[in-house]
Amino acid sequence: MEFAAADCELIYCGKLPDSHTLRQENINDLLVAKALEDKMVVRLKGGDPGVFGRVGEESAALAEYQIPFEIVPGISSGIAAPLYAGIPVTHREYAESFAVVTAHDKSKDGKPLLDWEGLARGVDTIAFYMGVGNLPFICENLITHGKPANTPVILIQWGTFGRQKTLQGTLVDITAKVAEAKFSNPAIILVGEVISLREKISWFEKKPLFGRQIVLARTGTNQSQCAKELMEQGADVIEFPKWKRTSLPVDLTKVPAYDKILFAQPESVEEFFKALFLNQFDIRKIRASFFGISFKTIHALNERGFMANLAEEMPGSGSLLIVGDNSNLKNTANYGLFDLLITSKREPDLQFMPIFKRMLEEAEVNTMIFPSSAAVESFIEGLRECDIDAQEFLKDLQIVGMGKQTMGAIESAGLQHAEMPERATKQALIDYLKAFPNVEE
């Protein structure tokens, strides 16, 4: 979704074995209908679309109407999830063969009709997809048809995400362990001796922020570098709300008169300089010092060759122009007298709201991060659009605010248990989360 155009229509089609947002037949019909409207359609899937991804049915529906299409291969979850758990599915000493198997089918009881003897005796590593409900049936058949009862088994839930969980056992005891742990789909069941390598080469779960399930309050339309770095450290990050922007015409005639120009968002930097170029405005006429409301905004100015300081370092004297979107009328009480140059209209992308609610249902969020003061009210407003009460949602989370102004906005919103890193930088935030985990091990 990060790479979709602002006017892109988003249609959520996520499925679990017992929960289908849209039935497969409806998805096929929808693909055809949208393509016949002469639209560019992307059917985005997790993993590889050709491995239990129903791509055959969907492409056949398109072909029936002579609609041209392209299939882009991916990495199947039966390979990716084990690797993120520290397990290669093949190894010269442990596994020379590998199979991917559906663990439920279209039969009345959902139990797959498989060549159990061929799997048990002829395949070293077996990956069963979405089969937690049929786990006793799987283990029983593998043992009955020749697989040793002490063969290692591991379940990997939410593989490759920071919320990834694993549960390890053998064919004879894994069913009881799953029942006790209340383990559920979405999960890959991996069977084979190659699982013994996990203790040596497990890597993802050793990342410093693994286990962090973070909601990052979002104010901009560009992809967050903070979110990217948190994920690189092993965290699972949901950015919310999702915004869309529409550029507005601007009047630049008074810009040379100001002593200070404060940019309210990184996007406002790009919009401002684009407006200068389109209006053939000579940058040398500007005598003001530049300031940014966040380090991200300052970085955007630095990339254009300008030095800038944080808003909190801005002197009180001198005339001030605030450049940004239509949200600048809020959270500006500390700046005294100022004028506004509104470069764009920013509004929440309402079609993202049901997707966000589904993401929250699937995650176990334990951390809330507000990167700026403007993010606090925007986030609470976004929750209202989802019919979620902010106080209830945040009451058990570790809340982290970036900077004194952000902490003030958090307190004004009635959120009393927030914490703050020493500095409002990405690295300081990461160091703080490492030092004060507040996450169940």
Side-chain angles (χ1 to χ4, degrees):
M1 290 185 300
E2 291 294 340
F3 302 102
D7 59 350
C8 178
E9 179 184 6
L10 304 177
I11 302 174
Y12 185 69
C13 302
K15 294 191 290 186
L16 292 173
D18 57 351
S19 177
H20 291 200
T21 306
L22 288 175
R23 303 295 302 181
Q24 186 60 48
E25 296 79 9
N26 300 126
I27 295 173
N28 297 348
D29 293 342
L30 191 60
L31 285 168
V32 170
K34 294 296 182 182
L36 290 176
E37 293 174 10
D38 202 28
K39 294 182 177 179
M40 174 70 74
V41 182
V42 175
R43 172 73 166 113
L44 186 62
K45 298 171 178 282
D48 185 279
V51 181
F52 308 125
R54 311 292 283 271
V55 72
E57 298 166 54
E58 294 172 5
S59 55
L62 295 169
E64 184 178 347
Y65 286 84
Q66 297 183 329
I67 297 170
F69 57 86
E70 176 184 2
I71 300 173
V72 180
I75 301 174
S76 177
S77 56
I79 297 172
L83 276 178
Y84 268 65
I87 306 164
V89 293
T90 63
H91 189 281
R92 286 191 299 174
E93 296 179 15
Y94 295 93
E96 295 182 344
S97 57
F98 167 61
V100 294
V101 182
T102 181
H104 64 281
D105 62 14
K106 297 173 68 174
S107 62
K108 186 175 181 180
D109 60 5
K111 291 181 169 56
L113 298 174
L114 302 170
D115 178 5
W116 289 105
E117 185 171 358
L119 285 173
R121 297 182 182 276
V123 181
D124 296 321
T125 307
I126 313 170
F128 292 93
Y129 285 57
M130 303 297 284
V132 176
N134 282 335
L135 184 61
F137 176 77
I138 292 168
C139 294
E140 178 185 342
N141 275 279
L142 288 175
I143 293 172
T144 299
H145 290 88
K147 207 77 167 170
N150 64 350
T151 301
V153 181
I154 190 169
L155 275 73
I156 309 162
Q157 184 186 59
W158 291 113
T160 75
F161 287 86
R163 72 190 78 164
Q164 176 176 298
K165 291 182 180 179
T166 56
L167 185 63
Q168 192 168 338
T170 64
L171 285 174
V172 76
D173 65 15
I174 191 64
T175 296
K177 288 185 176 183
V178 165
E180 182 181 356
K182 297 180 179 179
F183 220 79
S184 63
N185 283 316
I188 290 291
I189 301 168
L190 200 70
V191 180
E193 295 295 338
V194 74
I195 293 169
S196 61
L197 289 171
R198 170 174 158 78
E199 290 186 12
K200 292 182 180 179
I201 62 176
S202 177
W203 61 277
F204 182 57
E205 294 166 17
K206 294 178 181 177
K207 287 193 170 232
L209 296 185
F210 177 80
R212 284 277 182 184
Q213 296 190 48
I214 298 170
V215 172
L216 178 66
R218 184 173 189 165
T219 57
T221 52
N222 295 335
Q223 186 178 20
S224 168
Q225 287 300 310
C226 181
K228 183 178 178 181
E229 293 195 26
L230 289 168
M231 287 188 285
E232 287 177 353
Q233 296 293 320
D236 196 359
V237 182
I238 299 172
E239 293 188 74
F240 181 79
K242 183 174 173 63
W243 299 94
K244 55 184 180 180
R245 305 176 80 94
T246 305
S247 295
L248 299 174
V250 295
D251 181 3
L252 301 170
T253 54
K254 296 182 179 179
V255 169
Y258 294 96
D259 301 307
K260 303 172 292 184
I261 298 179
L262 171 63
F263 292 89
Q265 305 92 16
E267 294 89 343
S268 66
V269 175
E270 180 180 351
E271 292 162 352
F272 178 77
F273 285 99
K274 183 177 180 180
L276 293 182
F277 178 79
L278 291 176
N279 287 275
Q280 297 184 328
F281 187 98
D282 190 344
I283 187 71
R284 291 172 294 183
K285 294 180 181 179
I286 300 177
R287 61 182 179 85
S289 299
F290 287 169
F291 298 87
I293 210 159
S294 65
F295 280 103
K296 190 174 179 180
T297 308
I298 289 174
H299 180 68
L301 286 164
N302 293 159
E303 286 187 325
R304 291 184 173 271
F306 296 97
M307 301 302 295
N309 294 315
L310 282 171
E312 57 195 51
E313 301 170 7
M314 191 166 55
S317 59
S319 55
L320 170 63
L321 175 67
I322 298 181
V323 177
D325 58 37
N326 57 315
S327 67
N328 294 335
L329 296 175
K330 304 169 184 177
N331 304 316
T332 53
N334 295 330
Y335 303 138
L337 295 176
F338 59 87
D339 292 327
L340 281 171
L341 182 64
I342 299 178
T343 54
S344 62
K345 178 184 179 183
R346 187 194 66 158
E347 55 190 342
D349 190 343
L350 297 181
Q351 63 178 340
F352 182 72
M353 300 305 181
I355 300 173
F356 174 70
K357 291 183 74 171
R358 179 64 180 266
M359 293 169 73
L360 286 184
E361 290 170 2
E362 295 172 344
E364 296 177 4
V365 177
N366 49 43
T367 309
M368 178 73 226
I369 297 175
F370 291 107
S372 67
S373 57
V376 179
E377 188 170 347
S378 295
F379 177 77
I380 294 173
E381 288 179 359
L383 287 185
R384 287 196 199 104
E385 293 285 350
C386 294
D387 296 320
I388 297 174
D389 179 74
Q391 295 286 348
E392 183 65 23
F393 175 75
L394 296 169
K395 68 177 182 180
D396 296 323
L397 305 188
Q398 183 179 10
I399 301 175
V400 181
M402 302 287 284
K404 294 179 181 178
Q405 289 189 9
T406 305
M407 292 297 287
I410 292 172
E411 185 176 349
S412 298
L415 310 175
Q416 300 299 325
H417 58 286
E419 308 162 13
M420 183 179 71
E422 288 186 7
R423 299 190 69 224
T425 64
K426 293 188 291 290
Q427 189 57 53
L429 172 64
I430 291 169
D431 292 342
Y432 185 86
L433 295 177
K434 290 177 185 177
F436 301 96
N438 195 30
V439 176
E440 292 184 8
E441 298 293 338

